[in-house]
Amino acid sequence: MIMNSTKVAVVGSGISGAVCASNLARNGVSVTLFESARGPGGRMSQRREVSEDGKELLFDHGAPFFNANNTEVLGLVREWEAKGLVACWREKVGCFDRVSNKFVDLEQEGLISKRYVGIPGMNSVCRALCHEPGVESKFGVSVGRLEWLEDENLWSLIGSDGQNLGQFKGVVATDKNIVSPRFTSVTGRPPPLDLNLVPELAVKLNDIPVRPCFALMIAFAEPLSSIPFKGFSIKNSEVLSWAHCDSSKPGRSTSSERWVLHSTMEYAQTIIAQTGLQKPSNATLTKVAEELFQELQSMGLNISQPLFKKAHRWGAAFPATSIAREEKCLWDKNKRLAICGDFCVSPDVEGAIVSGIAAASKLTDVLSCL
């Protein structure tokens, strides 16, 4: 039996951290979740924008949907469905070939797996999990350092502003950059976790290759009737890889038609090579928005002028490799440190959930023996 006074810190409130925190709390662990952003979700977050005429516009600018094939994940999804947190997105998805400038219907080829979306936004699941009993969530709090206190056999967390965030029996980190030199090139600060504390994990975490991506959020007054699908991948384009109609998802406002476009990795790498890893300037984002929209327009689809358009950069969000396919998370039993995320299992929402479940399970097992 785990004592309720057993405290664990979870760093990051993307789906991996949120599922892990929820599972730990359900097993009697007292969880504190730290998230540097204003709200939960990571790549499953929702962006709130305002159009020039003052209308609220909401966009799922990261993961457009997710699949569930793993038994444990399906069990969770059914629970979320019953609570009204997710629903099936039943629109047809196709593919557009830039060479022939034609659409292909993928569904007839039998390539169909149920697509789930959060209700009313992709962040709904993370938001609910972060507020479950036994989970205390602290948003807008960046963890600057994780220190191992050898004598106390505890972790001490220090905020990036130097504030003491508390001491914990165990830690779950969900950010692949927690030990990465990439952290330094983005923030100018050393990575929160000292590699020498966990040399075996450090080797695996060392510079996970990532696929950067720019997302373009656009809103139209009228539906784009010339597009036969509400979601489509794009083949043979150097600029665009994906487009979906966000307002076609269940539970969304339909007062405007909102689309999200994703750039190709190559396009994003070219821009980052020119501008660096620091937060992109408004000028860069405006240029990217223009170029992504121009590519959509040049597909001969008769696209009207949008009433809103804005780009967002996912600099290092999508991992290009899986580093713990067997174990499903990285784990240091002696120091009770788990590192989980989609980069451990598979680069998608389902992989992140599987990894979060695994990390919670490792910690629960070892904490119940203490």
Side-chain angles (χ1 to χ4, degrees), residues 225-286:
S225 49
S226 60
I227 301 181
F229 298 100
K230 296 301 183 194
F232 59 96
S233 55
I234 297 142
K235 249 181 16 185
N236 297 316
S237 165
E238 288 171 15
V239 180
L240 286 179
S241 64
W242 168 259
H244 75 269
C245 177
D246 218 43
S247 47
S248 73
K249 294 178 186 173
R252 306 304 195 269
S253 152
T254 51
S255 60
S256 63
E257 175 147 303
R258 296 176 305 288
W259 284 74
V260 175
L261 315 182
H262 285 182
S263 78
T264 59
M265 171 180 78
E266 295 74 15
Y267 173 85
Q269 282 170 333
T270 307
I271 300 290
I272 288 169
Q274 295 162 2
T275 59
L277 273 174
Q278 278 79 13
K279 195 177 169 187
S281 67
N282 284 341
T284 298
L285 289 176
T286 303

Side-chain angles (χ1 to χ4, degrees), residues 345-363:
V345 180
S346 58
D348 49 34
V349 171
E350 184 166 26
I353 295 172
V354 168
S355 188
I357 294 171
S361 158
K362 296 267 193 218
L363 264 165

